[in-house]
Amino acid sequence: MNIPKIPLADWIGALETWLETHLGPLFKLIKVVVGETVGGLNVALDFFPPLVLIILFTAAAWFLGKWRMALFTFVGLLIIDNLGYWSQTMQTLSLVLTSALISVVVGVPVGILCARKNSIQNIVTPILDFMQTMPAFVYLLPAVSFFSLGVVPGVIASIIFAIPPTIRMTNLGIRQVPEELTEAADAFGSTPSQKLIKLQLPIALPSIMAGINQTIMLSLSMVVIASMIGAQGVGSYVYRAVTQGNTGVGFEAGIAIVILAIILDRLTQNAIRRTKKA
């Protein structure tokens, strides 16, 4: 006996049509907000000459890390500028910062709710598992359907792909706060908001920062993939090189992405170390 196939694809298609019909204004609002955020960051980064930004990034690396990190930042950004990918790298950085910022703004509160209520954690955890195991290319399809081609669907797909670490690490960090401290705060009559702001979040901050670090790295990887649907930045050169079989251009663009990834990773890791010391 042949078991009938579950019409899962038809159900997903019907859900997509329903969302487009009933939530069209919401998608337009999201498109405007995300597009303006990316555009604003891109204008701000393009406003300064490359050398000024290189000096600012080097100073930040010196402040957060050691002289080796500052030296790598200075030399790496000079290489990107020399290869002719400075403007595209700033576009990629704008996309990464936008997706990471929205992921943090949404992910930290969701992680706090998961830490406070086991029922919410039991609901959210399978969703996060689904988001992290689904192939990244699949997220491009609904993003294009709801937001058309361009920068916005790339950012939305990056948020969906990159937000789970922030939620998980926020939840984990708050749950790892020693019970003795929590009981002491309750004994002194602290309200839930006081206990959260003055006790749990400061102690959980290193874990939260580690989640943000992973979110930034995942955002960067997804932004490169999102170049397939019209996202700007260095990823578009990588995709073009792949389709045209141009190994040299692909290697140059890949070097620019690697340098940017290392700088972002080391800066956030050094920020985590300073947070732990504090």
Side-chain angles (χ1 to χ4, degrees):
M1 183 179 64
N2 294 327
I3 300 177
K5 177 185 175 182
I6 300 175
L8 183 60
D10 296 335
W11 294 346
I12 297 298
L15 176 62
E16 181 180 351
T17 302
W18 186 89
L19 291 174
E20 290 177 347
T21 303
H22 295 83
L23 299 181
L26 176 61
F27 294 140
K28 291 181 180 179
L29 176 62
I30 294 174
K31 184 175 181 178
V32 171
V33 172
V34 173
E36 291 297 325
T37 303
V38 175
L41 287 173
N42 199 15
V43 169
L45 292 173
D46 282 339
F47 177 77
F48 297 97
L51 184 59
V52 174
L53 282 179
I54 290 173
I55 294 174
L56 291 177
F57 282 123
T58 302
W62 185 285
F63 176 75
L64 292 174
K66 298 181 180 179
W67 67 269
R68 294 185 183 87
M69 182 60 207
L71 179 61
F72 175 84
T73 301
F74 183 75
V75 175
L77 293 178
L78 281 179
I79 291 174
I80 292 176
D81 188 30
N82 178 264
L83 292 175
Y85 292 99
W86 180 262
S87 178
Q88 293 79 13
T89 302
M90 293 302 101
Q91 291 174 351
T92 298
L93 183 59
S94 300
L95 296 173
V96 171
L97 291 179
T98 301
S99 60
L101 177 63
I102 297 176
S103 297
V104 171
V105 170
V106 176
V108 171
V110 174
I112 293 172
L113 290 175
C114 292
R116 285 192 168 186
K117 294 185 178 295
N118 291 329
S119 58
I120 296 179
Q121 178 184 243
N122 294 335
I123 295 173
V124 172
T125 299
I127 298 176
L128 297 180
D129 294 337
F130 177 85
M131 293 167 65
Q132 288 186 294
T133 54
M134 178 67 71
F137 291 95
V138 177
Y139 294 128
L140 302 180
L141 299 175
V144 170
S145 298
F146 297 139
F147 303 102
S148 71
L149 297 174
V151 172
V152 176
V155 173
I156 298 300
S158 300
I159 293 171
I160 298 173
F161 184 69
I163 197 173
T166 297
I167 298 176
R168 290 185 187 276
M169 297 303 290
T170 301
N171 178 28
L172 179 63
I174 294 177
R175 286 180 178 272
Q176 287 182 338
V177 174
E179 293 185 4
E180 295 81 4
L181 296 179
T182 305
E183 293 173 356
D186 292 333
F188 281 103
S190 299
T191 63
S193 59
Q194 290 175 333
K195 184 169 61 176
L196 174 67
I197 296 173
K198 297 183 177 180
L199 174 66
Q200 293 174 323
L201 285 180
I203 295 177
L205 189 56
S207 296
I208 297 174
M209 291 294 295
I212 294 174
N213 172 265
Q214 296 179 31
T215 292
I216 292 175
M217 293 297 100
L218 290 175
S219 297
L220 182 57
S221 65
M222 190 62 189
V223 161
V224 175
I225 297 175
S227 63
M228 298 175 60
I229 55 175
Q232 303 170 355
V234 188
S236 60
Y237 283 79
V238 175
Y239 177 65
R240 194 178 309 160
V242 171
T243 55
Q244 297 176 356
N246 195 333
T247 305
V249 174
F251 188 80
E252 286 183 347
I255 287 294
I257 294 173
V258 168
I259 293 173
L260 180 62
I262 292 175
I263 292 173
L264 292 176
D265 180 58
R266 295 299 185 271
L267 288 178
T268 51
Q269 284 190 5
N270 289 327
I272 294 171
R273 294 191 187 98
R274 292 178 66 89
T275 302
K276 289 181 178 179
K277 290 180 180 179

